[in-house]
Amino acid sequence: MPRLTKPAFIERSEHRLELRETMSEAKTTRSKVIPRIVGGLGNQLFVYAAARRLAIAGNAELVIDDVSGFIRDYAYQRRYQLDRFHISSRKASPAERLEPFSRLRRYVSRRYNQRLPFEERTYIQQDGLDFDPRLLRIRPRRTLYLEGYWQSEGYFKDVERVIRSDLRIRPPTDGINDAMAAKIRKGESVAVHVRFFDEPEVRTNGLNNAPLDYYARAIATMETLTDAAHYFVFSDRPSAARARLPLPDERITLVAHNQGDENAYADLWLMTQCRHFIIANSTFSWWGAWLAGHQGKRVIAPGFGKLDGGMQWGFEGLLPEDWIKV
C-alpha cells in the first residue's frame, strides 16, 4: 500500500502546537531572581538595581519580595516604596517569600548556601560591603534568592540604561512640589542633602553624622565649579542643616514640605531636577545625584571612610569614579 502522509496543513498545525508546548514549558521552568527589599528608599533602590541586572544576565524573571524585609523592622518601621517608580516586576507570592516559617527557612538557606561555591548558591547573602565582582558572574539556573544592600553602581553599570528607565520617578502632582521644581529648573541649582543620624548638637568624633567641616569644604569646592549657584537644602532637620552651610540666606532654599517616608520619593524627584549635588553620607542623596540626567552635572561626596562610631561609608565601589570626594 502507498504510504499515507499527513496533509501539509495538519503538519503545520502540529508543529505550531509543539512549539507552543515547548514555549509554555520554557515559561513554566524559567529561572527566577527574588530580591529581599530592605531599608529606606536609597537602599531599596540598590537592592532592586542589583537584582534587575542579575535577572537580565540570566534571562530570569525578577520577582520582588516586598514584605519579609519590613515585617520585623520595629526600629525604623520602613515600608516598601518602589511603587513610585516605573517597575513592572510582579510581587512575590507567600510561597516565594518562603512562608510559612520564613525566618527559620531563610536561616537554614543562608547556612547551607554559605558552604557552597559562590556560583552554585541559590541563596546569596552579601558578604561585607565592598563591591563583590563575583555577583556579576552569576547566571541563575533556577530560583535564586538575593539578600543584602549591594551599594555600588558596579552591580548594574552594564545595564545602566535599563535601570534608569525602570527608576523613572512618578512625579508628585501637588502644587507645592510643582512650584519648587519650577524654581529649581530656573537656574544653576545645587541639591544639598544633610542627613542627621545622631542629634545635630553632637560634636564629638566617632559618631554617624558627616564631619562638621564637610559642608563648608564641599560648598567651597562647588563655588569654584559653578557660577551664581543657588542651593536647595534637603534634610530631616532643616534648621540644623541650615546652620551648617556658610552661605547667605538669599542663596539658600530649604525644601522642608515633604515629610515622612511616604513622601521621600517626592524629595528624591526634586533632587533629580537639580543640576549639581552635594550629597550626604546617605544612599538617598546618592540616588538623587545618580538619577539626575543633566549634562555636565557635578557631584561632591563625603570622602571619608568608616567612622569609628559605626557609620559605614567610603567602602570600595560606593562612589562613582567621576564624583568629587572632599
Side-chain angles (χ1 to χ4, degrees), residues 91-106:
K91 307 293 178 56
S93 67
E96 289 169 324
R97 298 196 300 264
L98 299 178
E99 298 177 9
F101 311 115
S102 65
R103 195 175 187 183
L104 174 61
R105 293 170 71 183
R106 286 182 183 279

Side-chain angles (χ1 to χ4, degrees), residues 302-321:
F304 56 81
K306 179 181 181 296
L307 299 180
D308 293 339
M311 167 54 60
Q312 299 287 349
W313 189 258
F315 45 85
E316 183 180 347
L318 173 64
L319 299 176
E321 291 182 1

